[in-house]
Amino acid sequence: MEVVLVCSDNTERASLGRFFRSKNCSVKSFQEAQSATKAVSKETVLVCEHSDKVNCSGLFGKAGCTIALIHPDRAKEAPAMKEQGVFDSFIIPVAPGQLMEALNRYLDGKKKLPLEVKVLEREKLNDFITALTTKRTVYAPVAKEGRVSFEKVEKPSDVKLAYSSTILPPKKLFQPVAETILRFNRQEGQVETPIVPITPKVVLGIHPCDMQAILRTDWAFSETRAEENYLNRRKETLFIGTTCYPDEYCFCQNLGTYDTREGFDAFIVDLGDKLVVEILTENGKKLLSDIKPLKTATKDDITRAARVKRDLSQPCRPLKFQTGLLSTLCLLYTS
């Protein structure tokens, strides 16, 4: 995906550019709107400042998606901008989580995602989990000594989807704290490397930030020299994510990882009285196709889910620096 970025402030432009590149986007950056005219097309996403310094109104409607970052002094213009073709608009400062939410909604429309949207009454959650266990081994957040930990589900009633953090991250399912990687007998000259069997499983209730950690671990154990046991644990694994319950220490909205769909086969949005289940892949569709507690979601269910996700994009604790400059800050610190 190509992003055209128009922003007057050099530091903010660099920060936003690095953020979008971290999401595998190609980025073209400009300090003022006129210079960006030739770069904008229906195949691009335009992210533009709208202030006394930069007025991108001449570009509205020309990009496939336009996200406007509005200075508070120009906030009254937001309704008119919508009519001019602005897909989404935010009053600056804008958290990366808000940008990701806007991009997700745009990309969902292009990719025709979710494939299906189901709804599950909360009182039927145990029945839903029981149905999953008849198909695959299920791992989920389970209440354990007053904390929450990802464990193999033995009793569906023990599963706790409403949690902020776990004792250990769910990547422990693929990268255990301790394991035997080699057995040898010096006298007999025998060497054995135990191989972990591939077991089809479902990881239920994982947060987007933890999913991102697993995807990074995938890279670490496969990019250079493949680690067979780790990859065997990962194979035949389906992921059903869920909306987070951020506490005062959470900052995933600031880094854009609170609502990314990458890696998920389905995603659950908690509405309180019910759960909306967005099916994102063909494997997810196959897994959930005949689970009886799931019903087709109504338009009202889908609207409520969108509102929940949008509200969750607001950061719990705004950061006082440009998140896109984290890599530079780390280099300065370590040097």
Side-chain angles (χ1 to χ4, degrees):
M1 182 173 62
E2 184 172 300
V3 173
V4 176
L5 179 62
V6 184
C7 184
S8 61
D9 184 87
N10 292 335
T11 301
E12 188 171 355
R13 190 169 65 254
S15 175
L16 289 170
R18 293 188 187 201
F19 169 73
F20 285 115
R21 290 187 186 97
S22 74
K23 305 303 177 185
N24 298 318
C25 300
S26 62
V27 180
K28 293 181 179 179
S29 298
F30 302 91
Q31 194 167 18
E32 47 92 21
Q34 187 175 358
S35 302
T37 302
K38 293 183 179 179
V40 176
S41 72
K42 290 297 182 182
E43 302 303 315
T44 61
V45 172
L46 172 64
V47 180
C48 58
E49 175 185 337
H50 188 72
S51 66
D52 292 336
K53 295 180 180 179
V54 179
N55 189 333
C56 289
S57 58
L59 302 177
F60 295 163
K62 295 183 178 180
C65 172
T66 299
I67 300 173
L69 314 180
I70 308 174
H71 190 277
D73 291 343
R74 308 290 291 269
K76 292 181 180 179
E77 300 175 32
M81 292 166 64
K82 189 74 173 179
E83 295 180 4
Q84 291 176 275
V86 173
F87 176 80
D88 214 336
S89 58
F90 300 98
I91 306 300
I92 53 179
V94 181
Q98 295 171 296
L99 293 177
M100 280 306 302
E101 172 60 21
L103 285 176
N104 278 339
R105 288 190 291 112
Y106 167 65
L107 293 174
D108 282 355
K110 287 197 68 174
K111 298 177 182 179
K112 300 188 183 329
L113 291 176
L115 300 178
E116 293 181 6
V117 182
K118 302 290 186 178
V119 69
L120 175 69
E121 298 296 332
R122 182 168 288 280
E123 62 187 25
K124 297 288 186 181
L125 179 59
N126 288 349
D127 295 338
F128 171 73
I129 296 172
T130 299
L132 284 180
T133 59
T134 64
K135 294 190 170 190
R136 291 178 173 229
T137 302
V138 177
Y139 293 86
V142 171
K144 186 178 182 181
E145 299 178 358
R147 300 288 298 277
V148 177
S149 176
F150 272 86
E151 307 290 344
K152 180 180 177 181
V153 175
E154 303 292 348
K155 293 173 57 181
S157 59
D158 289 339
V159 173
K160 183 178 177 64
L161 292 185
Y163 70 97
S164 293
S165 59
T166 55
I167 300 171
L168 291 174
K171 68 179 182 179
K172 73 170 189 175
L173 301 176
F174 315 105
Q175 186 186 2
V177 175
E179 68 173 310
T180 300
I181 60 174
L182 182 70
R183 295 191 183 98
F184 62 92
N185 186 315
R186 293 179 62 185
Q187 293 181 337
E188 299 179 8
Q190 295 179 341
V191 177
E192 177 190 357
T193 55
I195 301 299
V196 172
I198 298 172
T199 304
K201 54 186 170 293
V202 175
V203 181
L204 170 68
I206 183 171
H207 290 164
C209 52
D210 281 326
M211 188 72 243
Q212 286 296 304
I214 290 173
L215 294 175
R216 300 303 180 270
T217 309
D218 288 349
W219 178 89
F221 284 113
S222 62
E223 184 68 13
T224 52
R225 189 171 181 177
E227 212 300 300
E228 188 173 2
N229 282 348
Y230 174 86
L231 296 177
N232 280 357
R233 291 188 182 97
R234 277 286 280 114
K235 289 175 182 176
E236 294 295 317
T237 301
L238 300 183
F239 293 94
I240 302 177
T242 185
T243 45
C244 188
Y245 291 80
D247 60 24
E248 59 182 309
Y249 304 108
C250 290
F251 51 85
C252 56
Q253 297 100 326
N254 298 92
L255 301 180
T257 55
Y258 97 99
D259 191 36
T260 177
R261 309 292 184 81
E262 186 181 10
F264 289 120
D265 296 283
F267 196 83
I268 295 174
V269 182
D270 192 342
L271 303 184
D273 58 329
K274 60 181 70 173
L275 306 171
V276 168
V277 183
E278 300 173 339
I279 300 175
L280 304 172
T281 67
E282 290 296 335
N283 284 335
K285 185 176 179 179
K286 182 178 180 181
L287 174 72
L288 301 176
S289 61
D290 58 350
I291 292 185
K292 292 182 179 179
L294 291 177
K295 306 295 181 183
T296 301
T298 65
K299 288 184 178 180
D300 181 63
D301 294 329
I302 296 171
T303 299
R304 288 178 61 192
R307 191 178 301 121
V308 167
K309 289 186 291 182
R310 193 176 183 92
D311 289 345
L312 281 173
S313 69
Q314 302 288 343
C316 296
R317 49 197 308 223
L319 299 182
K320 297 180 180 180
F321 59 88
Q322 299 291 341
T323 55
L325 298 180
L326 277 174
S327 57
T328 302
L329 292 172
C330 289
L331 286 173
L332 291 172
Y333 178 75
T334 55
S335 62

